Amino acid sequence: MTGLSEEVRPNKAFGWAAIDTSGVLSPFKFSTRGTGEKDVAFKVLYCGICHSDLHMIKNDWGSSIYPLVPGHEVVGEVTEVGSKVQKFKVGDRVGVGCMVGSCRSCDNCTNNLENYCPEMIFTYGAKYYDGTVTYGGYSNTMVVDEHFVVGIPENLPLDAAAPLLCAGITVYSPLRFYGLDKPGLHVGVVGLGGLGHLAVKFAKAMGTKVTVISTSPSKQKEALENLGADSFLVSRDQDQLRAAIGTFDGIVDTVSAQHPLLPLLGLLKSHGKLVVLGIPEKPLELPAFPLIQGRKLVGGSMTGGMKETQEMIDFAAEHGIKADTEVIAMDYVNAAMDRLLKGDVKYRFVIDIGNTLKSIS
């Protein structure tokens, strides 16, 4: 299960870490476990910056372990494989998303839903089977059990593929699970950020009619012309809201800021589904009457299992779906975090680890 053996010795590694709740990242040396019989070791080439990295470096959720090396949108090239690894070989293009372990025996795990395993191990800031702390992709190398590694097709650029391993699967999985992937359905996407722009791309590739729902009229041109949405609805415009009541089969809500759900529920047809993906700091208010009146559903979703993550990557490669990114150098990461806090990125920062992470003497 763990890919560990008694003979395995730690490897030296380096990256950038937060050492306290200030969230400031700086160069850091550490050890990773050696390559066990079921492990894949790979050289990190790119790593996306997820909004959760921002929360974790500052311990906003109360679970951070310092020193903390973030990064769970990680892609690179295999440098070593364990003796029992079957899916990968040296030189393969691979990626790792939000998790690096699970119990592999519970109902969730046996149904390819490792992301909902009670013993799921996060890619960074968690305790591994052997008691060591997991370190993420803001580093030069990673060692991961092959079960939690996905292959990246050759026609998918690595820098644009990295954000798919968190943001991509986070929107792909609910579109599939809630049946919002059928041609002709009308799907709304609330918020046009790291998650939202990919939700538009995946939903369009599945054949649905997509409307972006935003508080910002200034994003209309971007949504329609660059991302390919079919229509745009300004959620603060009461006339637009009234005209769209009861016209959506489903809505994917990617917004993490506090916002009312009532207007969104009104947009749904009977039996419509509102899927919440953002994590606001305070609980959202959920009125019961509009749910009862139209037999509507409110659900959630968190990333996806490993089988579905590989399926998502293959779907993205087949349909030419890539994250819109701003590639940055490693030493720009603190400035990038400041900009991310202000929403000043279109739509995902990706760190060029392979070319800009400097070794530490």
Side-chain angles (χ1 to χ4, degrees):
M1 180 175 67
T2 65
L4 301 175
S5 65
E6 292 182 0
E7 295 78 16
V8 174
R9 295 181 179 179
N11 289 325
K12 298 298 182 181
F14 57 90
W16 281 50
I19 59 172
D20 55 37
T21 57
S22 70
V24 175
L25 293 151
S26 58
F28 174 66
K29 290 192 291 186
F30 58 98
S31 294
T32 68
R33 71 173 193 274
T35 309
E37 59 186 14
K38 295 182 180 179
D39 287 333
V40 173
F42 67 96
K43 174 175 61 177
V44 178
L45 296 177
Y46 294 95
C47 185
I49 298 180
C50 177
H51 209 278
S52 60
D53 296 347
L54 189 58
H55 290 291
M56 288 294 290
I57 62 176
K58 296 182 178 182
N59 197 27
D60 289 341
W61 295 330
S63 61
S64 300
I65 302 173
Y66 296 101
L68 185 139
V69 178
H72 61 206
E73 298 180 342
V74 197
V75 293
E77 181 179 304
V78 176
T79 55
E80 185 183 13
V81 296
S83 60
K84 294 186 178 180
V85 169
Q86 298 179 338
K87 295 189 294 182
F88 302 101
K89 64 184 185 302
V90 172
D92 282 353
R93 293 152 44 98
V94 295
V96 170
C98 299
M99 57 186 164
V100 293
S102 70
C103 78
R104 309 283 293 278
S105 60
C106 68
D107 285 346
N108 285 320
C109 286
T110 55
N111 285 289
N112 300 306
L113 295 169
E114 301 93 339
N115 51 312
Y116 298 123
C117 173
E119 298 180 24
M120 188 260 283
I121 300 173
F122 287 108
T123 300
Y124 69 85
K127 290 290 182 68
Y128 200 65
Y129 304 109
D130 58 2
T132 59
V133 174
T134 58
Y135 294 115
Y138 295 17
S139 59
N140 67 318
T141 186
M142 290 185 70
V143 178
V144 180
D145 186 299
E146 74 164 329
H147 184 79
F148 297 92
V149 179
V150 296
I152 308 295
E154 289 292 334
N155 65 326
L156 200 55
L158 287 178
D159 57 337
L164 299 179
L165 294 164
C166 174
I169 187 61
T170 295
V171 297
Y172 179 92
S173 183
L175 287 170
R176 291 294 197 203
F177 178 79
Y178 289 101
L180 301 177
D181 56 350
K182 308 295 188 294
L185 292 182
H186 187 192
V187 175
V189 175
V190 186
L192 202 58
L195 294 180
H197 90 286
L198 286 171
V200 172
K201 293 186 179 190
F202 277 111
K204 282 297 295 179
M206 292 169 181
T208 71
K209 174 187 176 184
V210 179
T211 296
V212 170
I213 303 169
S214 175
T215 59
S216 305
S218 61
K219 293 185 177 181
Q220 180 168 346
K221 182 177 181 181
E222 172 73 12
L224 300 180
E225 297 182 9
N226 294 346
L227 297 177
D230 297 288
S231 56
F232 189 89
L233 191 158
V234 181
S235 56
R236 289 174 175 164
D237 187 318
Q238 294 304 310
D239 291 336
Q240 289 190 29
L241 282 176
R242 278 191 292 269
I245 285 174
T247 62
F248 288 80
D249 296 287
I251 295 174
V252 176
D253 185 352
T254 70
V255 174
S256 293
Q258 206 69 22
H259 62 288
L261 297 182
L262 181 60
L264 301 177
L265 293 171
L267 296 174
L268 293 172
K269 298 176 181 178
S270 295
H271 324 300
K273 301 162 186 175
L274 172 60
V275 185
V276 177
L277 302 181
I279 309 175
E281 292 183 6
K282 296 180 181 178
L284 294 170
E285 183 176 323
L286 181 62
F289 187 72
L291 298 181
I292 297 168
Q293 189 178 34
R295 194 155 68 179
K296 299 172 184 179
L297 299 176
V298 177
S301 187
M302 184 182 75
T303 67
M306 295 313 304
K307 180 180 179 181
E308 189 173 48
T309 301
Q310 185 66 66
E311 175 190 300
M312 176 275 303
I313 286 287
D314 294 341
F315 182 91
E318 179 183 351
H319 293 273
I321 296 173
K322 299 176 286 187
D324 291 6
T325 65
E326 179 179 335
V327 178
I328 63 169
M330 186 73 250
D331 61 9
Y332 187 75
V333 67
N334 288 306
M337 290 292 183
D338 291 339
R339 286 178 54 193
L340 181 60
L341 185 61
K342 301 171 185 174
D344 178 24
V345 57
K346 193 186 288 184
Y347 286 98
R348 207 67 155 185
F349 286 118
V350 173
I351 308 169
D352 183 352
I353 300 288
N355 290 314
T356 68
L357 175 62
K358 299 172 183 176
S359 61
I360 304 168
S361 57

